């Protein structure tokens, strides 16, 4: 269903069942906004509203069509046609505004009333009196008014005439224009005028039916009422300024008609709701029917005096004073005692003084409850009388309950406070009475009362107060923070606190109690507190209380370990932090130190949740005797290392280098930096250098680069690579040529570069021409280029094995492919990348220099140089020819061996 409170089918159902609330439902239905254009009133607001056609009619389009400027310049016939067409178009859409059905609904109700249905008649009158007039129901009301005129229905006509007159005056036009109301009120007066002219004796009855409905003090601008009061003064005028009946009643309309019978005026006295209307009736009776007032009926006077209008009270008092039979001494016997006493609460001063005079003389036994009502009267003489009477009563005569009621009455407040302090202590207050005073604005009096008697409100009273209805959240928080929060937990009760955590009224303050330590020790149910961790609204509070006020053994290692496995990051982090702060390794295995260590290392297994594995790595880091004190989180948590270095063995740490989690691999690196030299595992560094994980490779290569370095505590340079190097100096004995040259052909570029750097640094210890030749067989181009650079750097050294040199030279010259070298970020070899042709030229120059120095070597190098001199690459054969020329010049005896003519095999090739 839609978001409307009432639907038209509700009205139909109420009518069929004779629901006494039918008129209220119709009025509420008329107040509802219209549903979206073109959709039924029970449309689901969660579903999209279909867009109506651009030319579809709606109420706004009707307003525009019937607007002043749209009808400007049109004839009456044209205006009528436009109006009829607009309403026809609106009613023809699929779902016209549902309030358009209210017009036929009220007409149907009138038909039932005319058929003798008293229920329908009563509901119809209430609708005409109270409903908001707007399009839809207006069509029915307009026809209904015409029916009232045609049927001479005085009651219904009076309602319509009053509404038209009062609505126009208060500008409550809604969708019905002001000109329409102006016409209708003039039409109503015209009906009355014609009635008075044709049937004068009926005129007062209709006039009274109109007058009885006026209310309030604002009568300015009304038209029908002033015409009835002073028609003779309003002839030939278009507006009224009269708000009171004239002193000369002969100016009223149809003056003689009012003198026929007093019945209409007497009925107006009992039904009228406005003082000026009642004044008109009273003065008319006094002028035209004085005999009716000389001996009034007592029951009639009681009915008039019991009504709240001040003018009636004045009339009753004047009547009583003017009649000797109603002397004050005779009023009780005449049955007017209660009537006069009720005038103590009148808003008319004369009536109030008359009642006070009577009560002082003839009502000495006025009971205390009646005096309390008089004390709340609007005029001072009545309240003074009540206070004087109550002052003579003792506190015990009044009783605690009545004194508490007196506190809420302004004129009796001081008296009640004085008498309460004389005879009672605040401890006599029940919970209900205490709550009544607190909610009645007596906080200051109560506080002073308790202070003077050196007592305090019972804790049960404060609890009942905050649980009672009528307190806003600010007041509840003040009581919880300022009063109840200061009481010991034994008085409040742990059960109430535990329930208050889940009550939205108390939750914030009760949680503040708990975080301040109000509930702790044996009174604190730790299992209940653990349960609060699972609720987002109480989780932070529970964490705080567990941390500050619960001993670690009560929290429990098993629960914390299970929480550390939770998918919720906040819960897992709390549990892990708590374990780090408060639990030693032995706690992980029931006090067994060795088993506890093994348990911690087992938490690194891939079968554990990632959060648990990261916690285990963090725990092992903080409890490392060297790493822990250097860690910022260890200083923040106050964690002192509880593990020895012997716990961090290579067998435990090495598998972590292969872990899928980068955080764990970094943990392994951090530990290995401290321990690898202690482990004395040289081959581990070589294995890590070729490992698949980047953290392991970076650490392994940093260890290899650090071999043989002379280092002390202050020698580590800052930088990206230094962060991975081991803490202790790596002994030179870890240098292994075979493993190093093997790493030089690793598939990981960073590993190859590190190996080549170490080979370059320690070539004297691990290098040889045979190994350089072996490197020349590498599939990696940068490794082969490295051999050229190394040869270039060592070109002045003599090769021991000339056959190896010749083979090496041939492989370099014929095996180095053409093309540009890839760029490298090597810090050890910072030469610019060179093309293969330059590398070959440099090799040729190396061979040339060596040959010029040594004739024997020149004879050895002649063959490969001569073969390469016939290359199709211009730069290559130029370099070879130049080299041969210089060698021949240096060694003339070898000229025949340095010929540039190709051999038969070379020519065939």
């Amino acid at each position: 269903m839609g978001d409307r409170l009432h639907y038209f089918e509700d009205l139909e159902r109420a009518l069929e069942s004779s629901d006494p609330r039918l008129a209220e439902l119709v009025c509420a239905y008329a107040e509802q906004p219209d549903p979206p254009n073109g959709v039924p009133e029970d449309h689901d607001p969660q579903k999209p509203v279909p867009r109506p056609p651009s030319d579809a009619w709606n109420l706004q389009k009707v307003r525009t069509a019937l607007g002043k400027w749209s009808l400007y310049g049109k004839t009456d016939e044209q205006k009528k046609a436009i109006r009829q067409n607009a309403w026809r178009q609106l009613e023809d859409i699929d779902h016209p505004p549902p309030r358009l059905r209210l017009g036929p609904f009220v007409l149907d109700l009138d038909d039932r009333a005319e058929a003798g249905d008293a229920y329908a008649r009563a509901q119809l009158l209430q609708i005409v009196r109270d409903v908001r007039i707007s399009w839809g129901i207006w069509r029915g009301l307009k026809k209904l008014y015409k029916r009232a005129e045609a049927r001479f229905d005085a009651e219904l006509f009076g309602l319509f005439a009053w509404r038209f007159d009062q609505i126009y005056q208060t500008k409550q036009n809604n969708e019905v224009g002001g000109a329409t109301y102006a016409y209708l009120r003039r039409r109503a007066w015209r009906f009355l005028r014609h009635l008075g002219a044709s049937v004068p004796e009926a005129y007062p009855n209709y006039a009274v039916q109109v007058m009885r409905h006026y209310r309030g003090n604002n009568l300015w601008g009304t038209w029908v009422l002033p015409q009835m009061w002073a028609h003779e003064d309003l002839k030939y005028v278009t507006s009224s300024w009269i708000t009171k009946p004239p002193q000369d009643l002969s100016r009223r309309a149809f003056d003689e008609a009012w003198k026929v019978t007093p019945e209409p005026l007497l009925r107006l006295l009992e039904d009228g709701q406005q003082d000026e209307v009642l004044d008109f009736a009273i003065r008319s009776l006094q002028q035209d029917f004085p005999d009716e007032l000389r001996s009034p009926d007592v029951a009639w006077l009681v009915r008039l005096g019991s009504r709240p209008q001040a003018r009636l009270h004045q009339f009753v008092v004047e009547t009583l004073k003017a009649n000797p039979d109603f002397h004050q001494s005779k009023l009780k016997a005449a049955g007017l005692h209660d009537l006069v006493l009720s005038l103590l609460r009148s808003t008319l001063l004369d009536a109030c003084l008359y009642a006070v005079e009577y009560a002082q003389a003839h009502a000495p036994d006025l009971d205390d409850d009646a005096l309390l009502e008089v004390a709340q009267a609007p005029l001072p003489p009545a309240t003074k009388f009540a206070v004087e009477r109550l002052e003579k009563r003792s506190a015990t005569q009044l009783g605690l309950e009545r004194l508490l009621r007196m506190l809420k009455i302004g004129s009796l407040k001081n008296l009640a406070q004085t008498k309460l302090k004389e005879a009672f202590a605040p401890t006599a207050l029940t919970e209900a009475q205490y709550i009544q005073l607190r909610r009645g604005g007596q906080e200051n009096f109560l506080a002073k009362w308790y202070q003077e008697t050196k007592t305090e409100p019972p804790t049960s009273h404060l609890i009942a107060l905050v649980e009672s209805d009528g307190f806003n959240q600010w007041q509840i928080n003040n009581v919880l923070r300022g009063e109840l929060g200061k009481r010991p937990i034994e008085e409040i009760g742990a059960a109430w606190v535990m329930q208050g955590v889940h009550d939205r009224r108390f939750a914030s303050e009760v949680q503040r109690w708990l975080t301040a330590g109000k509930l702790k020790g044996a009174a604190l149910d730790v299992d209940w507190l653990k349960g609060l961790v699972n609720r987002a609204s109480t989780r932070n509070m529970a964490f705080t209380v567990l941390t500050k006020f619960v001993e670690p053994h009560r929290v429990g290692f098993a629960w914390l370990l299970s929480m550390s496995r939770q998918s919720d990051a906040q819960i897992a982090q709390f549990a892990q932090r708590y374990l780090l702060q408060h639990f030693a390794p032995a706690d992980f295995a029931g006090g067994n130190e060795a088993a506890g260590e093994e348990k911690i290392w087992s938490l690194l297994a891939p079968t554990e949740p990632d959060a648990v594995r990261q916690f285990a790595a963090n725990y092992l880091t903080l409890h490392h005797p060297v790493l822990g004190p250097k860690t910022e989180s260890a200083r923040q948590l106050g964690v002192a290392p509880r593990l020895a270095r012997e716990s961090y063995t290579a067998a435990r740490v090495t598998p972590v280098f292969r872990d899928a989690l980068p955080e764990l691999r970094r943990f392994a690196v951090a530990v290995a930096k401290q321990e690898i030299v202690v482990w004395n595992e040289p081959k581990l560094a070589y294995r890590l250098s070729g490992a698949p994980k980047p953290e392991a490779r970076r650490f392994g290569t940093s260890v290899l680069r650090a071999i043989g370095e002379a280092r002390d505590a202050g020698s580590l340079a800052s930088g990206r690579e230094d962060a991975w190097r081991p803490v202790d100096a790596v002994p030179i004995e870890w240098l292994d040529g075979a493993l190093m040259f093997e790493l030089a052909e690793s598939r990981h570029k960073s590993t190859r570069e590190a190996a080549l750097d170490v080979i370059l640094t320690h070539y004297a210890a691990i290098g040889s021409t045979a190994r350089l030749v072996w490197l020349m067989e590498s599939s990696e181009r940068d490794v082969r280029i490295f051999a050229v650079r190394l040869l270039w750097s060592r070109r002045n050294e003599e090769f021991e094995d000339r056959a190896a040199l010749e083979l090496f030279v041939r492989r370099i010259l014929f095996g180095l492919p053409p093309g540009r070298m890839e760029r490298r970020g090597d810090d050890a070899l910072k030469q610019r990348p060179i093309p293969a042709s330059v590398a070959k030229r440099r090799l040729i120059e190396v061979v040339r220099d060596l040959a010029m120095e040594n004739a024997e070597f020149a004879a050895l190098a002649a063959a490969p140089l001569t073969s390469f001199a016939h290359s199709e690459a211009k730069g290559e054969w130029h370099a070879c020819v130049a080299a041969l020329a210089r060698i021949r010049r240096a060694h003339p005896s070898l000229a025949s061996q340095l010929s540039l003519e190709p051999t038969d095999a070379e020519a065939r090739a």
Side-chain angles (χ1 to χ4, degrees), residues 306-470:
S306 62
R307 299 189 62 206
Q309 281 75 24
R311 185 64 182 89
L312 289 177
H313 296 170
Q314 181 183 4
F315 170 71
V316 169
V317 171
E318 290 174 351
T319 302
L320 294 177
K321 288 181 177 180
N323 194 324
D325 294 335
F326 294 144
H327 186 271
Q328 287 190 351
S329 61
K330 302 177 181 180
L331 292 178
K332 190 169 186 178
L336 294 171
H337 178 76
D338 293 338
L339 167 64
V340 178
L341 291 180
S342 69
L343 295 179
L344 289 169
R345 297 184 291 277
S346 174
T347 58
L348 183 69
L349 182 59
D350 289 344
C352 178
L353 291 173
Y354 179 83
V356 169
E357 180 185 357
Y358 175 79
Q360 289 175 337
H362 303 284
D365 56 347
L366 196 62
D367 64 81
D368 296 338
D369 292 332
L371 288 173
L372 261 61
E373 293 183 12
V374 174
Q376 302 175 62
L379 296 179
T383 58
K384 181 180 179 182
F385 162 75
V387 171
E388 289 175 351
R389 283 283 181 94
L390 291 170
E391 282 178 342
K392 298 176 183 179
R393 306 282 202 275
S394 66
T396 54
Q397 287 177 320
L398 292 171
L400 178 61
E401 183 63 34
R402 190 172 287 114
L403 288 172
L404 295 179
R405 287 169 55 195
M406 291 169 60
L407 283 174
K408 297 187 290 184
I409 303 173
S411 58
L412 299 177
K413 180 178 180 180
N414 294 334
L415 176 63
Q417 291 180 357
T418 302
K419 290 186 176 296
L420 278 171
K421 293 179 180 180
E422 288 175 357
F424 298 97
T427 53
L429 296 174
T430 65
E431 284 185 4
Q433 292 170 339
Y434 179 80
I435 294 171
Q436 177 186 353
L437 291 177
R438 288 295 298 265
R439 292 174 56 183
Q442 301 297 327
E443 292 92 345
N444 293 335
F445 165 70
L446 268 178
K448 188 175 181 181
W449 195 12
Y450 276 109
Q451 184 179 2
E452 291 175 353
T453 57
K454 297 182 179 179
T455 57
E456 288 185 340
T459 302
S460 60
H461 286 19
L462 295 176
I463 292 175
L465 176 65
V466 297
E467 289 180 342
S468 64
D469 297 330

Side-chain angles (χ1 to χ4, degrees), residues 162-287:
W162 160 73
R163 285 216 70 177
F164 297 154
D165 200 23
Q166 196 83 351
I167 287 178
Y168 181 81
Q169 180 265 328
T170 56
K171 301 295 187 296
Q172 296 176 354
N173 302 348
N174 299 317
E175 294 171 328
V176 181
T180 301
Y181 286 121
Y183 160 75
L184 288 170
R185 68 177 187 163
R186 290 181 180 274
R187 174 172 173 159
W189 169 239
R190 183 181 65 192
F191 175 85
L192 289 171
R193 189 176 73 248
H194 290 172
L195 181 67
S198 58
V199 189
E201 61 273 16
Y203 168 78
N205 292 312
Y206 281 80
V208 165
Q209 287 296 335
V210 178
M211 288 183 185
R212 64 189 288 259
H213 295 293
Y214 285 90
R215 63 195 70 175
N217 297 319
N218 185 11
L219 299 177
W220 185 266
T222 54
W223 177 255
V224 180
L225 184 61
Q227 287 287 351
M228 292 185 288
W229 282 346
H231 176 64
E232 298 301 323
D233 295 331
L234 293 176
K235 290 182 178 180
Y236 314 114
V237 300
T238 58
S239 60
S240 169
W241 61 91
I242 297 176
T243 60
K244 293 183 179 182
Q247 292 299 316
D248 184 4
L249 293 176
S250 64
R251 310 303 293 171
R252 62 193 174 184
F254 306 103
D255 179 53
E256 294 301 322
W258 290 101
K259 301 176 182 179
V260 175
T261 176
E263 291 301 324
L265 293 171
L266 293 174
R267 188 164 60 250
L268 183 58
L269 278 183
E270 295 199 47
D271 296 340
Q273 304 176 60
Q274 210 273 340
D275 280 343
E276 301 302 339
V277 171
L278 294 170
D279 180 66
F280 170 80
I282 291 171
R283 290 197 293 116
S284 296
L285 283 170
Q286 291 171 343
Q287 172 184 292

Side-chain angles (χ1 to χ4, degrees), residues 81-96:
I82 291 173
R83 292 190 185 99
Q84 291 177 344
N85 178 67
W87 287 112
R88 188 183 309 110
Q89 295 283 0
L90 181 62
E91 291 172 348
D92 288 343
I93 66 176
D94 290 339
H95 299 285

Side-chain angles (χ1 to χ4, degrees), residues 762-773:
H762 299 284
Y763 185 80
I766 62 175
S768 68
T769 304
R771 283 176 173 168
L772 285 178
V773 173

